[in-house]
Amino acid sequence: MSTDAIRPFLIKKDDEGNFRLTVRDTRYNSQGYPIVTSTLQTESFKTASAAKAFARDNFRAEAGQYATK
């Protein structure tokens, strides 16, 4: 079991060159194992900064909560 925290916002570039935002929710079962639910947002963005701004405005994202892998 990994003790690394999963960052709740994933920003990746798609095949068309646009950036996509995935919102991840982490829960833990009774044995302490993480259960991660990922939801890909329908919006696409021209830049990673635009995706971060969207996450900040709509999901109250803070610095350090973004992942790119």
Side-chain angles (χ1 to χ4, degrees):
M1 179 172 71
S2 176
T3 59
D4 295 335
I6 296 173
R7 294 184 179 165
F9 302 101
L10 174 65
I11 299 173
K12 288 186 75 172
K13 194 178 240 187
D14 64 9
D15 295 336
E16 298 167 356
N18 295 317
F19 289 89
R20 301 294 304 267
L21 176 69
T22 301
V23 178
R24 301 186 286 193
D25 180 41
T26 304
R27 298 178 296 128
Y28 294 90
N29 68 8
S30 60
Q31 285 90 28
Y33 286 94
I35 300 169
V36 180
T37 305
S38 299
T39 306
L40 180 65
Q41 300 300 303
T42 57
E43 294 84 356
S44 62
F45 307 94
K46 295 286 182 193
T47 64
S49 296
K52 287 181 181 181
F54 179 82
R56 187 175 50 247
D57 294 342
N58 293 291
F59 300 105
R60 296 184 184 180
E62 297 176 359
Q65 291 184 328
Y66 304 104
T68 56
K69 294 184 181 183

